[in-house]
Amino acid sequence: MTPRPTSSGSDPKTPKKTAEEMAGKAAKTVKKVAEKAVAPKKAPATRKTPEKAVAEQPAAKKTAAKKAVAKKAAPEKTAAAKAAAGKAVAKKAAAKKAAPEKAAARKVAAGEGAAKKTAAKKVVTAKTPAEKAIAKKAVAKKAAVKKTVAEEPVAEQAVAERAVAAKAVTTRAAAKKAATAGKKAAPAKAAAKKTAPAKTAVKKAPARKAAAGKAVPETASVGTTAPEAVSPALDAGDRERLLSGTHHDPHTVLGAHLVPGGVALRVFRPYALAVTVVAGEERTELHDDGDGFFSGLLPLDEVPAYRLLVTYEGTVQDTEDAYAFLPTLGELDLHLIGEGRHEQLWTVLGAHPMTHQGVAGTRFSVWAPNARGVHVAGTFNFWDGTGHPMRSLGSSGVWELFLPGVGEGELYKFQITRPDGSKTLRADPLARRTETPPNTSSVVTASHHEWRDEEWIARRAELTAHQAPFSVYEVHLPSWRPGLTYRQLAEQLPEYVRDLGFTHVELMPIAEHPFGGSWGYQVTGFYAPTARLGTPDDFKYLVDALHQAGIGVLMDWVPAHFPRDDWALAEFDGRPLYEHEDPLRSAHPDWGTLEFDYGRREVRNFLVANAVYWCEEFHIDGLRVDAVASMLYLDYSREPGQWVPNEHGGRENLDAVAFLQEMNATVYRRVPGVVTIAEESTAWDGVTRATHHRGPGGFGGLGFGLKWNMGWMHDSLDYMSHEPVYRKYHHNEMTFSMVYAYSENYVLPISHDEVVHGKGSLVSKMPGDWWQQRANLRAYLAFMWAHPGKQLLFMGQEFAQGAEWSEARGPDWWLLDAGYGAAADHRGVQDLVRDLNIVYRHTPALWRQDTDPAGFEWIVGDAAEDNVFAFLRFDADGSPLLAVSNLSPVVRQDYRLGAPDDVPAWHETLNTDIGKYGGGDVTNPDVIKPEPQGWHGRPASIRLTLPPLATIWLRPA
């Protein structure tokens, strides 16, 4: 135990005059300490008097004042000061003092006479109001922090000394008079002696934390001399790192922190003229340290709640301090990000308006592991992010900053200091809203849309896409009706699509893109719907309207590549980050873009979470994944020497395979009822096979729900482009698709790719005159709707637009105007598409067994000389539909076809040659009954009239 000093107060025999002289000496000593600690700036005129300040100090400050008085060396204390300190100690001593010290205190108390006790009691009753408040609140502070005076840190002693010197001089004088008036020195000394045990019990105090969560270093053991107050100004190293934008943890030096001598408050506000700290009713102007740095030492023993008044030329900003807040991201979030498994990544990265520690603002966070420093720049700081450095959250590579007062609608970017020290201003990779191109800033946003599609969401999971009607209208939203916003489109598109009978729309890439001529396929804002048509909530409104009209929404999704714009993802933090570090792997040879590094877990997480994001946040019903083939092969569009084989010596991109498998598995697990569709143009095995089922090549399936049948599209269009007289030489191009029809789950796509770049529109691909072109188109569409697989048709082709599509012009809607002479021809094709969808929806034979070979049988597939194709489609219960196409320009009377003998009669349910479609009205109006004559290997046959360049559908009568 620490030896007790010989005496804890003045000699009982010392005359009263000597005690007063010693009190004066003590006051001078304390005044010198105060003058040394006080900042060079003068206090504002509104600052409170020392008497009032002490009277209104919080409990922490008052307790510190008592401790400072109690801890002064015995010869330098006045009897009154010792009495004031002794009273606070006496209230704490019962619960906190060590046993030996308690015994010593009791011995001193017992050795004093009744007169001494009476005198001590009178000292208590003689307190000033300020001292009463101090004594009362000291007990409360003791209960809160559970520390005796003997256990308080050295830092608090310095705070107390400064507080006494700067604010409590007058109060001490009053206390001195109250304690000494009419009292003897001996009783006062006896009361002061009670403080001795507290002084001997002071030891090394544990580190304490400031509001920003950073600890003050532990202090050395305490003797009888308190340490000097430290300068609150930043040291040269921190100052330089903040100015150069390379500080990894600005919260450790900016904001408020406990230091020896009080609370150091440091603010970095470039261009500010002055900064004032407001803590309760206290105002303290900080010292201008130059270069935008301001600092001050507040005489407190704990960090207060405070605000900043920042004076700029012509204005004063009243704000919270961004560096007074704890991190907004938790350990679990950072762990999942590091593991590449955060399936809702958009909820933690990006810009999020929120209330944090009771204050409204926006949390900014970004992944930039190679950056030396990251700042937030935006409209709220005049696009100079110097004063808003972010903190690095450990090894996660994530930088974070909560900015109070920043709300929705603010523009922002991240100012990144690269490894070489240069700086770049980048859009947020997870921005959920952007400026309208060509502007490139990210926008702080929050969703306020209230969904009304609960019925649709509940119903969509009841039947999988493979066993349901699924006909898709592909739309490029900016040009479908040029000039319409998302909300205006919501008034027209659902009605139009429902009228035509399509089950789904597929929207060409909605994600933000800088160049409209890319049609959205070169994405820079993967988490933001394009601002060309409105806000994210406006897009949600459109999706909601489509769902309420009974129409599913598919979206083109582009994880294969991204453009090189220097404000977006390319070398985002100064080094290859989202792209592969190997130039042979990163540069896309066809499009001048960059390919993602699918082997990096954070990049894979960015893309997987993005797929989930569109489905969960925007209620998207399916993703059509673009350019899958370019992802799967290392040698895609590359010559020998331009690619490196995988670890097995093969050409497969194993990283991309793993990414696609993870994406599909995650989406299907999280969002029931959705479908993923691969635009894959090769014979890759198992595109739509489950990921856990291995194929002949040793790979598990990619896990897609459907795959575009690019082979069928190319072959069938090639056949149709030939004059009928030559078609017999290409007959197999229409039948070959059935050789592999059940190797995958297919969509039959007539997409935008087939009506651009000089390929002409769909009707213009057909041979012959205008009548024959339209007849060929109608016959082809009916053949397509009857063929196994789902259907997709690009906008404008439903009414036989003659011109090639242009994103600047959109469909030629004027072709349907009543005043146009050939409008009936175009309306006829449109009417056919409507009827195809109506019959298709109500005929399960056309979709129930799309992925089952039992759902299809050829009647005749080798009638090349006749240009005739006939096949049956079956429902699960055996109900058939007979489809017959005559792709020659002649009428074939009494054309005999083999038929099932268990169908007593057939009737024509659709004929593409009827007059309202623009045909010649060659039909089969009567019921058709089978004859017992065998034909085409069947026991019965029927005789039909086949119209020229037409397809007919027959169902059991």
Side-chain angles (χ1 to χ4, degrees), residues 398-559:
V398 174
W399 300 75
E400 179 265 0
L401 179 65
F402 175 75
L403 287 184
V406 175
E408 293 182 56
E410 297 279 11
L411 308 183
Y412 72 98
K413 285 186 177 180
F414 293 114
Q415 181 179 304
I416 296 174
T417 303
R418 300 183 179 107
D420 63 2
S422 63
K423 291 180 172 56
T424 179
L425 201 59
R426 298 293 176 130
D428 182 359
L430 278 94
R432 291 169 294 132
R433 183 182 173 190
T434 68
E435 278 192 291
T436 303
N439 297 323
T440 59
S441 296
S442 305
V443 183
V444 177
T445 189
S447 179
H448 304 286
H449 179 75
E450 295 183 5
W451 290 96
R452 297 182 295 169
D453 62 350
E454 296 84 0
E455 184 180 346
W456 169 269
I457 297 298
R459 192 175 67 245
R460 74 178 180 184
E462 293 176 357
L463 197 62
T464 64
H466 313 93
Q467 298 179 316
F470 196 95
S471 60
V472 183
Y473 183 59
E474 186 184 24
V475 180
H476 178 252
L477 279 182
S479 68
W480 184 75
R481 295 278 191 180
L484 296 188
T485 65
Y486 290 127
R487 289 185 180 267
Q488 291 168 335
L489 284 163
E491 302 302 319
Q492 298 187 33
L493 183 61
E495 181 181 354
Y496 182 78
V497 175
R498 181 170 57 183
D499 176 66
L500 287 183
F502 286 98
T503 66
H504 291 73
V505 292
E506 180 179 312
L507 307 180
M508 290 170 66
I510 292 298
E512 192 60 273
H513 49 283
F515 176 49
S518 75
W519 314 326
Y521 288 98
Q522 295 194 9
V523 177
T524 49
F526 281 81
Y527 284 79
T530 179
R532 292 170 174 84
L533 307 180
T535 68
D537 272 2
D538 293 339
F539 179 58
K540 289 181 178 181
Y541 183 86
L542 172 60
V543 174
D544 209 347
L546 287 162
H547 283 171
Q548 291 176 63
I551 300 162
V553 182
L554 312 175
M555 189 187 89
D556 280 15
W557 185 56
V558 192

Side-chain angles (χ1 to χ4, degrees), residues 575-594:
R575 291 177 180 166
L577 187 66
Y578 288 92
E579 67 270 39
H580 203 284
E581 62 182 1
D582 181 355
L584 294 178
R585 294 279 297 274
S586 65
H588 198 290
D590 290 342
W591 304 316
T593 53
L594 296 169

